[in-house]
Structures are given as structure tokens and as C-alpha cells.
Amino acid sequence: MCSEKTEQPRKRALSCIQPSGIPTLGNYLGALKNWVAMQEDFEGIFAVADLHAITVRQEPAKFRQQIYSAYALLLAIGLDPQKSTVFIQSHVPQHTQLSWLLSCYTQFGELSRMTQFKDKSARHADNINAGLFTYPVLMAADILLYQPDFVPVGADQKQHLEIARDIAARFNGLYGEVFRVPEPYIAKAGAKVMSLQDPEKKMSKSDENVNAYISMLDSREEIIRKFKRAVTDSEAVVRVAPEKAGISNLIGIYSVITGKSTEEIEREFDGCGYGTFKTAVGEVVADELAPIRERYDQLMKDKAYLEENFRQGADRAAYMATKTLRKAAKKIGFVL
Ligand code: TYM
């Protein structure tokens, strides 16, 4: 007897990255690599969150370049603009429009509790602007406009995702099912890649010390040099332990890239000094990033190709976003 196969609609995954510098190995392992893996089974929607980046001051010419660069990197890692919707946030004005609506359903108290706001306002004490404060509302709009099932992010975005879910649930509670309440998708491995110089801190593209992070465009030599200099401990045993944050971080990185388990790695490097292990980590990272850098260099030479793709991506995104925005506005009582 033949069994009838019913086509299930694909689940939707959405995520964004800020063009606030060249993405790091942390961005790649915590988020971008998962986006590429998801695009086969999910309907992917991915954006360069340029509006979020101006919560800290950007130099205009450099900023423009970083936006192109971030978009090119999304294609270079393997996002296919024919399969997924890949666009630039500010090209779809519905993001800022929904953000205003949602800000009226978000409490001052809940925004005040955001740890990223507290951290960033401490780091940029001379520019604690309203955008920095309402940043999670714009992020909620980015997400809720597209009704995604999953939001693949690194662990540092978990709190922002929770507030987006709270805002959605609150709005739905008042007006009925307008927004899908999405689930975070935080992979176990790579969700928090730590700084190579201070393994208690996350790896960040805004770190003042360039040795603390691997940029996705670093050369092979730079990558290996930075890993060789990574801060570890004096025990010289390759094993994961809470008091060995530096080495545990390197094992984590090696594990995500090679797919080997912690136990396998500990066995592989049993009796080896840190020097051998650090070089091995540097090499696998350099091998992983080399083809991405090559595709990136090609793409950056073809601005017309990038433009054609981000325009098309924005058209597709705007079509979806308009539907949700209109639905939300109508529920509130606006005359459409
Ligand atoms: P952003 O640009 O800081 O980072 C992009 C993605 O990289 C992840 N990430 C990390 N993962 C593991 N280890 C690290 N050291 C590390 N550093 C960064 C982040 O968790 C993120 O997934 N607010 C967001 C951008 C955004 C967004 C959105 C995300 C705007 N709108 C809507 C999801 C949905 C941000 O600043 O990410």
C-alpha cells in the first residue's frame, strides 16, 4: 500500500548580526555557522542589523563599508540568497515602525534590567542614548515581524530574546494571536566563545585588545599567533575544568570545529604540552576560515552583485513584515 506523504511547511528561523566591526570567531561559532546549517531544513531570514549598530557612535565611511562587509560575509559563509531571505535591516522600514508600537507595550523597569544595557552604558558613559535603552524593543520588532519559530543566537542574546517573548505574549494577551512566540535556538557547543586574553569575558569584536579575538578575516598567521598567545594556566594538561577557563575555551572551539567530543580531545592531546594543542586549534580554525575569506574577497569586488541581492532580500522581507505590521496596527485600532 502506498503511504501518502504530506508536505509539512518548513519551520522558520530568523536572526541578525550587527555590522559593528568584522565578525569574530565567537559570532561565527555561536551564531553564523548554525544559520548556514539551518538553511537546508528551515526557511531562513537573516539580516545585517545596521540600525542597532548606531546605538554607539559610528564613523560614516567606515560604517558604510562595514555594512557591505557584513552582508558579503553572510554570503561568504554559505547563506544562499535564493534559499534564504538575506537583507539589511534599515531597508525594511517596518522594523522601526513596529518598534515604536511595541515600545508602548514595554515597561521602563524591564528594559532597565537588561545586562547588556548596563554593560554598554558603563562602557560608553558619555553617550547613554535612548536608543541604547530601547534596543531590545527594536530587536523584538526584528523578530516578531517575521513570525519565526526559532531564533538562533549565542548565549549573550538570551535575555533579549526573553523580553521579545514577553512583549509578544503581552500583546497577544491583549489582542489575540498576532505574534508567534519564538523559541531561542542556542546550540550547546559554541554558544559562548570566550576572549583569548581574558577567558572570563566573552570574545567580542569591540575588545580593545586585538589578541583577545579572532576576526573572521584574520590571516592564517595571525590566527595561529593569537592562539599561541592565548592565556591558559600552569598545569599543562589539556582537560576541561572550571578553574581552567582558558584551556576549556580552546577545547570548546576545537570541539565545535572538528566535531570531536571533549573526551576524544583530551585523549588526543594526552601528554602533549599546551604549545602543541594551541597550534592544533589555530590550524583547524585557520582551515575553517580560509575558504570563507577567499569567497569574501571575491564578493567584495562585486558590489553590484551584493546590491542586487540585498535589494531582492529587502523586497521579500518587506512583503512578510508588512503583513504582521498591518495586523498589529489594526488590532490596536489604527485606521489603515
Ligand atoms: P551581535 O552582532 O553582537 O552578535 C551576532 C551573533 O553572534 C553571537 N555571539 C556570540 N556567540 C558565541 N560566543 C561569543 N563570544 C559571541 N559573541 C556574539 C550573538 O549571540 C549573536 O547571535 N542584538 C544582536 C543582533 C540582533 C538580533 C536581532 C539577533 C538584532 N536583532 C534579532 C537575533 C534576532 C547582537 O547584537 O548580536
Side-chain angles (χ1 to χ4, degrees), residues 14-20 24-32 35 49 52 89 116 120 135 138-140 142-143 151-157 160-161 190-195 202-205:
L14 169 137
S15 203
C16 309
I17 183 166
Q18 287 196 64
S20 50
T24 67
L25 184 65
N27 296 125
Y28 180 64
L29 298 182
L32 303 180
W35 301 2
H52 277 98
Q89 181 192 31
Q116 193 162 310
K120 280 206 180 168
Y135 175 118
L138 178 59
M139 181 160 158
D142 298 338
I143 298 170
V151 184
V153 284
D156 63 327
Q157 294 299 322
H160 288 159
L161 223 76
K192 197 160 188 199
V193 176
M194 308 309 281
S195 151
K202 74 163 184 176
M203 183 180 282
S204 163
K205 50 189 177 272

mmCIF file of all heavy atoms in Angstrom, residues 14-20 24-32 35 49 52 89 116 120 135 138-140 142-143 151-157 160-161 190-195 202-205, ligand 1:
data_model
loop_
_atom_site.group_PDB
_atom_site.id
_atom_site.type_symbol
_atom_site.label_atom_id
_atom_site.label_comp_id
_atom_site.label_asym_id
_atom_site.label_seq_id
_atom_site.Cartn_x
_atom_site.Cartn_y
_atom_site.Cartn_z
ATOM 1 N N LEU A 14 14.933 32.927 12.263
ATOM 2 C CA LEU A 14 15.350 34.302 11.985
ATOM 3 C C LEU A 14 16.485 34.704 12.916
ATOM 4 O O LEU A 14 16.481 34.354 14.091
ATOM 5 C CB LEU A 14 14.179 35.259 12.228
ATOM 6 C CG LEU A 14 14.598 36.733 12.215
ATOM 7 C CD1 LEU A 14 13.616 37.581 11.461
ATOM 8 C CD2 LEU A 14 14.831 37.295 13.622
ATOM 9 N N SER A 15 17.451 35.431 12.371
ATOM 10 C CA SER A 15 18.461 36.026 13.240
ATOM 11 C C SER A 15 19.155 37.195 12.537
ATOM 12 O O SER A 15 19.018 37.345 11.321
ATOM 13 C CB SER A 15 19.485 34.985 13.682
ATOM 14 O OG SER A 15 20.107 35.403 14.879
ATOM 15 N N CYS A 16 19.869 37.998 13.321
ATOM 16 C CA CYS A 16 20.554 39.174 12.759
ATOM 17 C C CYS A 16 21.922 39.333 13.421
ATOM 18 O O CYS A 16 22.161 38.834 14.514
ATOM 19 C CB CYS A 16 19.777 40.461 13.050
ATOM 20 S SG CYS A 16 18.037 40.415 12.617
ATOM 21 N N ILE A 17 22.772 40.081 12.727
ATOM 22 C CA ILE A 17 24.092 40.410 13.289
ATOM 23 C C ILE A 17 24.365 41.885 13.069
ATOM 24 O O ILE A 17 24.008 42.441 12.014
ATOM 25 C CB ILE A 17 25.192 39.533 12.652
ATOM 26 C CG1 ILE A 17 26.555 39.836 13.286
ATOM 27 C CG2 ILE A 17 25.257 39.695 11.121
ATOM 28 C CD1 ILE A 17 27.626 38.810 12.986
ATOM 29 N N GLN A 18 24.987 42.530 14.053
ATOM 30 C CA GLN A 18 25.307 43.955 13.915
ATOM 31 C C GLN A 18 26.558 44.151 13.073
ATOM 32 O O GLN A 18 27.531 43.423 13.260
ATOM 33 C CB GLN A 18 25.619 44.526 15.282
ATOM 34 C CG GLN A 18 24.442 44.710 16.164
ATOM 35 C CD GLN A 18 24.824 45.627 17.309
ATOM 36 O OE1 GLN A 18 25.152 46.793 17.116
ATOM 37 N NE2 GLN A 18 24.773 45.100 18.505
ATOM 38 N N PRO A 19 26.555 45.168 12.195
ATOM 39 C CA PRO A 19 27.781 45.451 11.422
ATOM 40 C C PRO A 19 28.682 46.405 12.203
ATOM 41 O O PRO A 19 29.041 47.467 11.708
ATOM 42 C CB PRO A 19 27.220 46.106 10.157
ATOM 43 C CG PRO A 19 25.989 46.831 10.642
ATOM 44 C CD PRO A 19 25.441 46.040 11.790
ATOM 45 N N SER A 20 29.016 46.017 13.420
ATOM 46 C CA SER A 20 29.759 46.960 14.265
ATOM 47 C C SER A 20 31.254 46.665 14.262
ATOM 48 O O SER A 20 31.968 47.068 15.158
ATOM 49 C CB SER A 20 29.195 46.926 15.682
ATOM 50 O OG SER A 20 29.107 45.591 16.118
ATOM 51 N N THR A 24 33.594 38.035 14.659
ATOM 52 C CA THR A 24 34.661 37.230 15.272
ATOM 53 C C THR A 24 34.325 35.741 15.174
ATOM 54 O O THR A 24 33.222 35.361 14.796
ATOM 55 C CB THR A 24 34.783 37.558 16.766
ATOM 56 O OG1 THR A 24 33.586 37.096 17.411
ATOM 57 C CG2 THR A 24 34.976 39.037 17.014
ATOM 58 N N LEU A 25 35.299 34.962 15.630
ATOM 59 C CA LEU A 25 35.085 33.526 15.725
ATOM 60 C C LEU A 25 33.910 33.229 16.675
ATOM 61 O O LEU A 25 33.201 32.241 16.492
ATOM 62 C CB LEU A 25 36.373 32.878 16.260
ATOM 63 C CG LEU A 25 36.388 31.367 16.355
ATOM 64 C CD1 LEU A 25 36.291 30.726 14.973
ATOM 65 C CD2 LEU A 25 37.657 30.891 17.064
ATOM 66 N N GLY A 26 33.691 34.096 17.655
ATOM 67 C CA GLY A 26 32.556 33.938 18.570
ATOM 68 C C GLY A 26 31.239 34.068 17.815
ATOM 69 O O GLY A 26 30.337 33.236 17.950
ATOM 70 N N ASN A 27 31.131 35.106 16.989
ATOM 71 C CA ASN A 27 29.915 35.285 16.174
ATOM 72 C C ASN A 27 29.712 34.077 15.267
ATOM 73 O O ASN A 27 28.598 33.594 15.083
ATOM 74 C CB ASN A 27 30.020 36.521 15.265
ATOM 75 C CG ASN A 27 30.118 37.823 16.040
ATOM 76 O OD1 ASN A 27 31.044 38.591 15.851
ATOM 77 N ND2 ASN A 27 29.157 38.074 16.902
ATOM 78 N N TYR A 28 30.818 33.608 14.709
ATOM 79 C CA TYR A 28 30.734 32.513 13.743
ATOM 80 C C TYR A 28 30.275 31.216 14.418
ATOM 81 O O TYR A 28 29.309 30.587 13.981
ATOM 82 C CB TYR A 28 32.094 32.326 13.059
ATOM 83 C CG TYR A 28 32.101 31.208 12.050
ATOM 84 C CD1 TYR A 28 31.306 31.267 10.903
ATOM 85 C CD2 TYR A 28 32.893 30.078 12.244
ATOM 86 C CE1 TYR A 28 31.302 30.230 9.987
ATOM 87 C CE2 TYR A 28 32.899 29.037 11.325
ATOM 88 C CZ TYR A 28 32.087 29.122 10.192
ATOM 89 O OH TYR A 28 32.072 28.086 9.299
ATOM 90 N N LEU A 29 30.954 30.848 15.505
ATOM 91 C CA LEU A 29 30.615 29.560 16.134
ATOM 92 C C LEU A 29 29.308 29.635 16.920
ATOM 93 O O LEU A 29 28.561 28.664 16.993
ATOM 94 C CB LEU A 29 31.754 29.092 17.044
ATOM 95 C CG LEU A 29 33.090 28.834 16.344
ATOM 96 C CD1 LEU A 29 34.127 28.336 17.342
ATOM 97 C CD2 LEU A 29 32.942 27.829 15.196
ATOM 98 N N GLY A 30 29.041 30.817 17.508
ATOM 99 C CA GLY A 30 27.824 30.946 18.324
ATOM 100 C C GLY A 30 26.572 31.117 17.489
ATOM 101 O O GLY A 30 25.475 30.757 17.915
ATOM 102 N N ALA A 31 26.716 31.685 16.301
ATOM 103 C CA ALA A 31 25.512 32.015 15.531
ATOM 104 C C ALA A 31 25.636 31.641 14.050
ATOM 105 O O ALA A 31 24.941 30.752 13.550
ATOM 106 C CB ALA A 31 25.202 33.502 15.686
ATOM 107 N N LEU A 32 26.543 32.303 13.336
ATOM 108 C CA LEU A 32 26.551 32.218 11.867
ATOM 109 C C LEU A 32 26.642 30.790 11.318
ATOM 110 O O LEU A 32 25.944 30.435 10.362
ATOM 111 C CB LEU A 32 27.714 33.046 11.303
ATOM 112 C CG LEU A 32 27.731 34.529 11.712
ATOM 113 C CD1 LEU A 32 28.921 35.239 11.083
ATOM 114 C CD2 LEU A 32 26.442 35.227 11.302
ATOM 115 N N TRP A 35 23.371 29.231 11.395
ATOM 116 C CA TRP A 35 22.430 29.751 10.398
ATOM 117 C C TRP A 35 22.583 28.964 9.100
ATOM 118 O O TRP A 35 21.599 28.580 8.470
ATOM 119 C CB TRP A 35 22.681 31.228 10.085
ATOM 120 C CG TRP A 35 22.587 32.165 11.253
ATOM 121 C CD1 TRP A 35 22.333 31.848 12.566
ATOM 122 C CD2 TRP A 35 22.750 33.587 11.202
ATOM 123 N NE1 TRP A 35 22.343 32.986 13.323
ATOM 124 C CE2 TRP A 35 22.590 34.057 12.529
ATOM 125 C CE3 TRP A 35 23.023 34.499 10.184
ATOM 126 C CZ2 TRP A 35 22.692 35.413 12.844
ATOM 127 C CZ3 TRP A 35 23.123 35.840 10.494
ATOM 128 C CH2 TRP A 35 22.952 36.296 11.810
ATOM 129 N N ALA A 49 21.964 43.910 11.084
ATOM 130 C CA ALA A 49 21.209 44.839 11.942
ATOM 131 C C ALA A 49 21.953 46.171 12.045
ATOM 132 O O ALA A 49 22.556 46.498 13.073
ATOM 133 C CB ALA A 49 20.990 44.213 13.315
ATOM 134 N N HIS A 52 20.720 48.765 14.770
ATOM 135 C CA HIS A 52 21.205 48.517 16.129
ATOM 136 C C HIS A 52 22.607 49.082 16.351
ATOM 137 O O HIS A 52 22.952 49.458 17.469
ATOM 138 C CB HIS A 52 21.220 47.007 16.413
ATOM 139 C CG HIS A 52 19.891 46.478 16.837
ATOM 140 N ND1 HIS A 52 19.022 45.858 15.970
ATOM 141 C CD2 HIS A 52 19.283 46.485 18.039
ATOM 142 C CE1 HIS A 52 17.939 45.518 16.620
ATOM 143 N NE2 HIS A 52 18.062 45.878 17.876
ATOM 144 N N GLN A 89 18.682 45.431 7.575
ATOM 145 C CA GLN A 89 17.557 45.846 8.421
ATOM 146 C C GLN A 89 16.959 47.207 8.037
ATOM 147 O O GLN A 89 15.747 47.344 7.904
ATOM 148 C CB GLN A 89 18.063 45.874 9.872
ATOM 149 C CG GLN A 89 17.085 46.248 10.938
ATOM 150 C CD GLN A 89 17.833 46.520 12.248
ATOM 151 O OE1 GLN A 89 18.979 46.977 12.250
ATOM 152 N NE2 GLN A 89 17.197 46.217 13.365
ATOM 153 N N GLN A 116 22.959 43.856 29.076
ATOM 154 C CA GLN A 116 23.743 44.484 28.008
ATOM 155 C C GLN A 116 23.636 46.011 28.077
ATOM 156 O O GLN A 116 24.612 46.713 27.817
ATOM 157 C CB GLN A 116 23.307 43.958 26.643
ATOM 158 C CG GLN A 116 24.299 44.340 25.570
ATOM 159 C CD GLN A 116 24.144 43.482 24.324
ATOM 160 O OE1 GLN A 116 24.104 42.256 24.378
ATOM 161 N NE2 GLN A 116 24.029 44.128 23.191
ATOM 162 N N LYS A 120 26.856 48.250 28.445
ATOM 163 C CA LYS A 120 27.192 49.233 27.406
ATOM 164 C C LYS A 120 27.141 50.641 27.948
ATOM 165 O O LYS A 120 27.925 51.498 27.539
ATOM 166 C CB LYS A 120 26.259 49.086 26.191
ATOM 167 C CG LYS A 120 26.658 47.948 25.285
ATOM 168 C CD LYS A 120 26.185 48.185 23.856
ATOM 169 C CE LYS A 120 26.586 47.025 22.965
ATOM 170 N NZ LYS A 120 25.927 47.050 21.651
ATOM 171 N N TYR A 135 16.919 49.473 22.645
ATOM 172 C CA TYR A 135 17.494 48.481 21.721
ATOM 173 C C TYR A 135 16.746 47.134 21.732
ATOM 174 O O TYR A 135 16.403 46.596 20.671
ATOM 175 C CB TYR A 135 18.952 48.342 22.153
ATOM 176 C CG TYR A 135 19.840 47.342 21.508
ATOM 177 C CD1 TYR A 135 20.970 47.761 20.805
ATOM 178 C CD2 TYR A 135 19.628 45.967 21.630
ATOM 179 C CE1 TYR A 135 21.845 46.841 20.249
ATOM 180 C CE2 TYR A 135 20.489 45.051 21.072
ATOM 181 C CZ TYR A 135 21.593 45.496 20.381
ATOM 182 O OH TYR A 135 22.451 44.591 19.830
ATOM 183 N N LEU A 138 13.580 47.181 19.540
ATOM 184 C CA LEU A 138 13.835 47.070 18.095
ATOM 185 C C LEU A 138 14.156 45.609 17.754
ATOM 186 O O LEU A 138 13.710 45.087 16.741
ATOM 187 C CB LEU A 138 14.994 48.005 17.705
ATOM 188 C CG LEU A 138 15.426 47.973 16.238
ATOM 189 C CD1 LEU A 138 14.271 48.355 15.298
ATOM 190 C CD2 LEU A 138 16.612 48.921 15.997
ATOM 191 N N MET A 139 14.891 44.974 18.631
ATOM 192 C CA MET A 139 15.231 43.566 18.385
ATOM 193 C C MET A 139 13.959 42.703 18.432
ATOM 194 O O MET A 139 13.798 41.780 17.618
ATOM 195 C CB MET A 139 16.259 43.104 19.411
ATOM 196 C CG MET A 139 16.679 41.675 19.231
ATOM 197 S SD MET A 139 18.253 41.339 20.042
ATOM 198 C CE MET A 139 18.091 39.560 20.227
ATOM 199 N N ALA A 140 13.047 43.035 19.328
ATOM 200 C CA ALA A 140 11.771 42.302 19.387
ATOM 201 C C ALA A 140 11.014 42.503 18.077
ATOM 202 O O ALA A 140 10.430 41.558 17.523
ATOM 203 C CB ALA A 140 10.942 42.781 20.575
ATOM 204 N N ASP A 142 12.355 43.178 15.122
ATOM 205 C CA ASP A 142 13.059 42.405 14.081
ATOM 206 C C ASP A 142 12.525 40.973 14.053
ATOM 207 O O ASP A 142 12.339 40.384 12.990
ATOM 208 C CB ASP A 142 14.563 42.267 14.398
ATOM 209 C CG ASP A 142 15.308 43.579 14.465
ATOM 210 O OD1 ASP A 142 14.820 44.558 13.894
ATOM 211 O OD2 ASP A 142 16.385 43.608 15.102
ATOM 212 N N ILE A 143 12.347 40.448 15.230
ATOM 213 C CA ILE A 143 11.959 39.035 15.342
ATOM 214 C C ILE A 143 10.473 38.868 15.020
ATOM 215 O O ILE A 143 10.092 38.091 14.140
ATOM 216 C CB ILE A 143 12.247 38.520 16.779
ATOM 217 C CG1 ILE A 143 13.752 38.608 17.087
ATOM 218 C CG2 ILE A 143 11.715 37.102 16.973
ATOM 219 C CD1 ILE A 143 14.115 38.361 18.536
ATOM 220 N N VAL A 151 14.932 31.331 16.935
ATOM 221 C CA VAL A 151 15.889 32.420 16.772
ATOM 222 C C VAL A 151 17.272 31.891 17.195
ATOM 223 O O VAL A 151 17.550 31.753 18.385
ATOM 224 C CB VAL A 151 15.482 33.659 17.612
ATOM 225 C CG1 VAL A 151 16.442 34.813 17.358
ATOM 226 C CG2 VAL A 151 14.052 34.077 17.303
ATOM 227 N N PRO A 152 18.119 31.536 16.214
ATOM 228 C CA PRO A 152 19.444 31.013 16.564
ATOM 229 C C PRO A 152 20.417 32.131 16.947
ATOM 230 O O PRO A 152 20.753 32.977 16.130
ATOM 231 C CB PRO A 152 19.901 30.314 15.272
ATOM 232 C CG PRO A 152 19.120 30.963 14.173
ATOM 233 C CD PRO A 152 17.855 31.511 14.756
ATOM 234 N N VAL A 153 20.822 32.121 18.212
ATOM 235 C CA VAL A 153 21.732 33.159 18.726
ATOM 236 C C VAL A 153 22.735 32.536 19.686
ATOM 237 O O VAL A 153 22.580 31.393 20.118
ATOM 238 C CB VAL A 153 20.955 34.257 19.513
ATOM 239 C CG1 VAL A 153 20.224 35.204 18.594
ATOM 240 C CG2 VAL A 153 20.018 33.655 20.543
ATOM 241 N N GLY A 154 23.744 33.321 20.064
ATOM 242 C CA GLY A 154 24.673 32.927 21.111
ATOM 243 C C GLY A 154 24.027 33.190 22.471
ATOM 244 O O GLY A 154 22.998 33.871 22.561
ATOM 245 N N ALA A 155 24.662 32.674 23.520
ATOM 246 C CA ALA A 155 24.074 32.760 24.863
ATOM 247 C C ALA A 155 23.871 34.206 25.329
ATOM 248 O O ALA A 155 22.946 34.501 26.081
ATOM 249 C CB ALA A 155 24.958 32.010 25.845
ATOM 250 N N ASP A 156 24.713 35.146 24.836
ATOM 251 C CA ASP A 156 24.607 36.530 25.316
ATOM 252 C C ASP A 156 23.301 37.216 24.881
ATOM 253 O O ASP A 156 22.948 38.245 25.426
ATOM 254 C CB ASP A 156 25.822 37.354 24.845
ATOM 255 C CG ASP A 156 25.897 37.463 23.338
ATOM 256 O OD1 ASP A 156 25.491 36.520 22.632
ATOM 257 O OD2 ASP A 156 26.366 38.512 22.849
ATOM 258 N N GLN A 157 22.594 36.645 23.921
ATOM 259 C CA GLN A 157 21.350 37.275 23.458
ATOM 260 C C GLN A 157 20.102 36.688 24.113
ATOM 261 O O GLN A 157 18.978 37.069 23.793
ATOM 262 C CB GLN A 157 21.221 37.161 21.932
ATOM 263 C CG GLN A 157 22.276 37.939 21.180
ATOM 264 C CD GLN A 157 22.212 39.428 21.469
ATOM 265 O OE1 GLN A 157 21.147 40.016 21.604
ATOM 266 N NE2 GLN A 157 23.372 40.048 21.604
ATOM 267 N N HIS A 160 17.703 39.163 25.763
ATOM 268 C CA HIS A 160 16.958 39.960 24.773
ATOM 269 C C HIS A 160 15.833 39.143 24.140
ATOM 270 O O HIS A 160 14.776 39.677 23.802
ATOM 271 C CB HIS A 160 17.905 40.465 23.675
ATOM 272 C CG HIS A 160 18.812 41.548 24.138
ATOM 273 N ND1 HIS A 160 19.982 41.864 23.510
ATOM 274 C CD2 HIS A 160 18.712 42.403 25.189
ATOM 275 C CE1 HIS A 160 20.564 42.866 24.144
ATOM 276 N NE2 HIS A 160 19.815 43.205 25.160
ATOM 277 N N LEU A 161 16.090 37.886 23.985
ATOM 278 C CA LEU A 161 15.068 37.023 23.392
ATOM 279 C C LEU A 161 13.902 36.813 24.345
ATOM 280 O O LEU A 161 12.740 36.757 23.939
ATOM 281 C CB LEU A 161 15.712 35.675 23.074
ATOM 282 C CG LEU A 161 15.263 35.200 21.746
ATOM 283 C CD1 LEU A 161 15.972 35.961 20.659
ATOM 284 C CD2 LEU A 161 15.547 33.740 21.623
ATOM 285 N N GLY A 190 29.680 26.106 21.469
ATOM 286 C CA GLY A 190 29.969 27.363 20.776
ATOM 287 C C GLY A 190 29.080 28.521 21.164
ATOM 288 O O GLY A 190 29.235 29.625 20.650
ATOM 289 N N ALA A 191 28.147 28.301 22.098
ATOM 290 C CA ALA A 191 27.199 29.367 22.452
ATOM 291 C C ALA A 191 27.889 30.531 23.152
ATOM 292 O O ALA A 191 27.385 31.648 23.148
ATOM 293 C CB ALA A 191 26.102 28.812 23.331
ATOM 294 N N LYS A 192 29.044 30.241 23.757
ATOM 295 C CA LYS A 192 29.758 31.338 24.415
ATOM 296 C C LYS A 192 31.257 31.131 24.241
ATOM 297 O O LYS A 192 31.896 30.452 25.040
ATOM 298 C CB LYS A 192 29.363 31.414 25.897
ATOM 299 C CG LYS A 192 29.729 32.731 26.498
ATOM 300 C CD LYS A 192 28.983 33.048 27.758
ATOM 301 C CE LYS A 192 29.285 34.488 28.164
ATOM 302 N NZ LYS A 192 28.982 34.745 29.541
ATOM 303 N N VAL A 193 31.794 31.711 23.186
ATOM 304 C CA VAL A 193 33.226 31.636 22.935
ATOM 305 C C VAL A 193 33.856 32.773 23.745
ATOM 306 O O VAL A 193 33.388 33.913 23.688
ATOM 307 C CB VAL A 193 33.524 31.788 21.424
ATOM 308 C CG1 VAL A 193 35.018 31.806 21.170
ATOM 309 C CG2 VAL A 193 32.857 30.658 20.642
ATOM 310 N N MET A 194 34.889 32.453 24.506
ATOM 311 C CA MET A 194 35.455 33.442 25.414
ATOM 312 C C MET A 194 36.673 34.145 24.803
ATOM 313 O O MET A 194 37.291 33.639 23.854
ATOM 314 C CB MET A 194 35.851 32.765 26.733
ATOM 315 C CG MET A 194 34.750 31.935 27.373
ATOM 316 S SD MET A 194 33.170 32.792 27.548
ATOM 317 C CE MET A 194 33.501 33.783 28.990
ATOM 318 N N SER A 195 37.018 35.283 25.399
ATOM 319 C CA SER A 195 38.191 36.047 24.967
ATOM 320 C C SER A 195 39.447 35.193 25.126
ATOM 321 O O SER A 195 39.566 34.426 26.081
ATOM 322 C CB SER A 195 38.286 37.297 25.857
ATOM 323 O OG SER A 195 39.618 37.716 25.986
ATOM 324 N N LYS A 202 33.416 37.292 27.371
ATOM 325 C CA LYS A 202 33.117 36.714 26.051
ATOM 326 C C LYS A 202 34.017 37.343 24.980
ATOM 327 O O LYS A 202 34.441 38.503 25.117
ATOM 328 C CB LYS A 202 31.632 36.866 25.698
ATOM 329 C CG LYS A 202 31.215 38.253 25.320
ATOM 330 C CD LYS A 202 29.879 38.297 24.583
ATOM 331 C CE LYS A 202 29.625 39.729 24.163
ATOM 332 N NZ LYS A 202 28.467 40.003 23.386
ATOM 333 N N MET A 203 34.268 36.573 23.932
ATOM 334 C CA MET A 203 35.025 37.115 22.800
ATOM 335 C C MET A 203 34.151 38.161 22.123
ATOM 336 O O MET A 203 32.988 37.884 21.810
ATOM 337 C CB MET A 203 35.371 35.998 21.815
ATOM 338 C CG MET A 203 36.212 36.479 20.654
ATOM 339 S SD MET A 203 36.625 35.168 19.482
ATOM 340 C CE MET A 203 37.929 34.314 20.322
ATOM 341 N N SER A 204 34.705 39.363 21.910
ATOM 342 C CA SER A 204 33.887 40.436 21.361
ATOM 343 C C SER A 204 34.672 41.239 20.336
ATOM 344 O O SER A 204 35.863 41.505 20.537
ATOM 345 C CB SER A 204 33.441 41.347 22.514
ATOM 346 O OG SER A 204 32.998 42.577 22.016
ATOM 347 N N LYS A 205 33.976 41.642 19.254
ATOM 348 C CA LYS A 205 34.661 42.410 18.209
ATOM 349 C C LYS A 205 35.005 43.816 18.683
ATOM 350 O O LYS A 205 35.797 44.503 18.053
ATOM 351 C CB LYS A 205 33.856 42.412 16.900
ATOM 352 C CG LYS A 205 32.386 42.780 16.985
ATOM 353 C CD LYS A 205 31.687 42.530 15.653
ATOM 354 C CE LYS A 205 30.203 42.788 15.650
ATOM 355 N NZ LYS A 205 29.306 41.739 16.017
HETATM 356 P P1 TYM B 1 25.835 40.598 17.725
HETATM 357 O O1 TYM B 1 26.017 41.330 16.453
HETATM 358 O O2 TYM B 1 26.546 41.099 18.936
HETATM 359 O O3 TYM B 1 26.252 39.080 17.533
HETATM 360 C C1 TYM B 1 25.735 38.282 16.481
HETATM 361 C C2 TYM B 1 25.538 36.860 16.985
HETATM 362 O O4 TYM B 1 26.781 36.331 17.488
HETATM 363 C C3 TYM B 1 26.578 35.799 18.797
HETATM 364 N N1 TYM B 1 27.818 35.998 19.570
HETATM 365 C C4 TYM B 1 28.487 35.019 20.192
HETATM 366 N N2 TYM B 1 28.252 33.707 20.289
HETATM 367 C C5 TYM B 1 29.140 32.961 20.986
HETATM 368 N N3 TYM B 1 30.248 33.473 21.585
HETATM 369 C C6 TYM B 1 30.533 34.801 21.508
HETATM 370 N N4 TYM B 1 31.616 35.296 22.075
HETATM 371 C C7 TYM B 1 29.622 35.640 20.781
HETATM 372 N N5 TYM B 1 29.586 36.971 20.506
HETATM 373 C C8 TYM B 1 28.471 37.173 19.772
HETATM 374 C C9 TYM B 1 25.427 36.624 19.368
HETATM 375 O O5 TYM B 1 24.789 35.933 20.418
HETATM 376 C C10 TYM B 1 24.541 36.791 18.160
HETATM 377 O O6 TYM B 1 23.708 35.666 17.992
HETATM 378 N N6 TYM B 1 21.353 42.186 19.224
HETATM 379 C C11 TYM B 1 22.040 41.252 18.358
HETATM 380 C C12 TYM B 1 21.697 41.418 16.891
HETATM 381 C C13 TYM B 1 20.243 41.362 16.602
HETATM 382 C C14 TYM B 1 19.418 40.201 16.613
HETATM 383 C C15 TYM B 1 18.127 40.642 16.230
HETATM 384 C C16 TYM B 1 19.654 38.860 16.894
HETATM 385 C C17 TYM B 1 19.470 42.414 16.240
HETATM 386 N N7 TYM B 1 18.188 41.990 16.004
HETATM 387 C C18 TYM B 1 17.070 39.741 16.124
HETATM 388 C C19 TYM B 1 18.590 37.969 16.794
HETATM 389 C C20 TYM B 1 17.309 38.407 16.415
HETATM 390 C C21 TYM B 1 23.537 41.453 18.513
HETATM 391 O O7 TYM B 1 23.977 42.484 18.921
HETATM 392 O O8 TYM B 1 24.288 40.412 18.057
#
